[in-house]
Amino acid sequence: MDTEAVRSFVRAAELGQLRHAADELGVTQQAVSKRIAALEREVGVRLFTRTARGVELTLDGQAFLPHARNLVTGAERAITAIRPGSRALRIDVLGLRSAQAVLLHDYWRSRPGTDLDVVTLRGSDPREAVAAVQAGDLDASFRSVTDPAALPGDVRMIHAFDSPLELLVGPRHPLAAARTLAPDRLRGHRIWVPGIAPGSEWAEFYDELATDFDLRVDAAGPNFGDEVLLDILADSADVATLVGSRDRYLWPTSHDLRRIPVVDPTLAYPLSLLLRRSNPHPGLRAVIDHFGGLAPLPGRVWRPSWAPAPGRTDLTPPPAAPAAP
């Protein structure tokens, strides 16, 4: 379908006059009229009714307009994605102290000329991230959809990297002196993770983790932020939490908190990327390769059942199926 014809149709529908659409598009009114006539022949219906004041959409034209806008927007995004000087690569992270943000910062430091825009969506519902990726507002999002069948056809989820978990405890905790811990050593201890949002990927992660290892993961109480959580851990003899090994936490020296790796198996929080199947931003390849260059986790590794399989990701869209003879 001729995108210029579709663009002419959209602007004529929005402005109500072919002449105004022609002025905006920088062509003659006759050119706009010919484009729309060709489009009407292609779709097999009349899209406009000509009136003394201009043009009005037919019922078929009204039905076609939102899809035509999507076609024009998609074409513009496809061109922008490969045009030199296009907008920055925009990636959503769960938080600016998270492992995703830390590794993106490492990537940017290794390539300081990279035009990178790191943002954080406020919502915890992964469907919001999917919609933002679909709309082109994000080029990629560090979110996981735990039911891959729920992903729309134009969005894919790929493995980015695994974040090994550590137990974070205060000096009075009975496990504070351990150098490493197997998951079964955590049984019977209160693992407090405030702020687990129902329906979020981390809610699914902790549910599966607690079930598989018979752990007591407690999300009770309000979430007053990391600083309050760290204060409570420093003073407690029985409260612990789990954090990613690359997550950035800062606390006063007097807290004397301990980060203890969990091993045999290593508990891995899988970080996934959501991105469009077609016309991904050209800057994504280098970011994904950077993550792929991280050393694999040693020994046995536990991941939740919904985690995408690690491995190099091909960003090239599959070839179109051949036309039927």
Side-chain angles (χ1 to χ4, degrees):
M1 185 171 288
D2 183 352
T3 56
E4 290 307 312
V6 177
R7 191 189 312 275
S8 297
F9 161 75
V10 169
R11 296 310 293 142
E14 292 171 343
L15 298 173
Q17 289 195 7
L18 300 185
R19 177 171 58 83
H20 291 168
D23 290 344
E24 185 171 303
L25 295 171
V27 297
T28 65
Q29 180 175 336
Q30 183 182 21
V32 169
S33 181
K34 287 183 176 180
R35 288 176 182 176
I36 293 174
L39 181 62
E40 288 177 325
R41 287 195 297 271
E42 182 173 358
V43 298
V45 296
R46 291 184 63 193
L47 300 172
F48 285 118
T49 298
R50 276 65 173 177
T51 69
R53 293 186 298 176
V55 291
E56 293 181 358
L57 288 170
T58 63
L59 291 178
D60 287 324
Q62 293 174 34
F64 183 62
L65 180 59
H67 303 289
R69 286 191 177 116
N70 288 338
L71 286 171
V72 172
T73 301
E76 290 172 349
R77 287 178 185 146
I79 294 170
T80 299
I82 59 174
R83 178 183 292 151
S86 61
R87 70 162 174 78
L89 174 65
R90 185 174 300 139
I91 301 180
D92 161 57
V93 298
L94 289 171
L96 295 179
R97 293 184 178 180
S98 66
Q100 310 103 308
V102 171
L103 285 178
L104 274 177
H105 184 230
D106 290 344
Y107 168 79
W108 181 82
R109 288 179 63 190
S110 69
R111 297 167 177 80
T114 302
D115 198 6
L116 181 64
D117 186 10
V118 180
V119 301
T120 302
L121 295 181
R122 292 187 177 183
S124 58
D125 189 337
R127 290 174 296 185
E128 297 176 12
V130 170
V133 169
Q134 273 189 301
D137 298 328
L138 295 173
D139 297 304
S141 174
F142 274 105
R143 311 278 170 149
S144 294
V145 175
T146 57
D147 178 11
L151 277 174
D154 54 348
V155 175
R156 65 192 300 196
M157 182 173 75
I158 64 171
H159 176 267
F161 64 93
D162 290 321
S163 179
L165 296 188
E166 298 174 334
L167 192 75
L168 182 62
V169 297
R172 298 170 52 218
H173 195 278
L175 299 176
R179 300 191 62 168
T180 62
L181 290 166
D184 59 6
R185 293 279 306 279
L186 307 182
R187 290 176 187 154
H189 294 281
R190 182 190 179 198
I191 301 172
W192 190 39
V193 188
I196 297 179
S200 64
E201 65 182 80
W202 49 95
E204 298 284 345
F205 174 85
Y206 283 112
D207 281 348
E208 194 164 329
L209 178 68
T211 299
D212 285 1
F213 293 98
D214 192 24
L215 302 183
R216 179 188 171 197
V217 177
D218 180 7
N223 180 17
F224 286 104
D226 292 341
E227 287 74 14
V228 172
L229 172 61
L230 298 174
D231 291 344
I232 292 172
L233 292 174
D235 293 334
S236 176
D238 62 357
V239 177
T241 195
L242 288 168
V243 297
S245 65
R246 294 185 179 93
D247 294 344
R248 183 178 289 129
Y249 290 90
L250 301 174
W251 56 79
T253 304
S254 59
H255 277 16
D256 194 21
L257 298 182
R258 324 290 176 82
R259 298 180 70 143
I260 308 169
V262 182
V263 299
D264 197 26
T266 297
L267 304 182
Y269 192 103
L271 277 305
S272 307
L273 271 177
L274 299 171
L275 63 155
R276 291 190 298 276
R277 288 189 179 274
S278 60
N279 300 312
H281 193 289
L284 270 177
R285 176 75 272 165
V287 173
I288 294 170
D289 286 346
H290 178 76
F291 297 143
L294 299 173
L297 300 184
R300 294 191 301 131
V301 177
W302 176 91
R303 298 179 183 88
S305 59
W306 43 265
R312 179 174 171 84
T313 301
D314 183 8
L315 295 187
T316 304

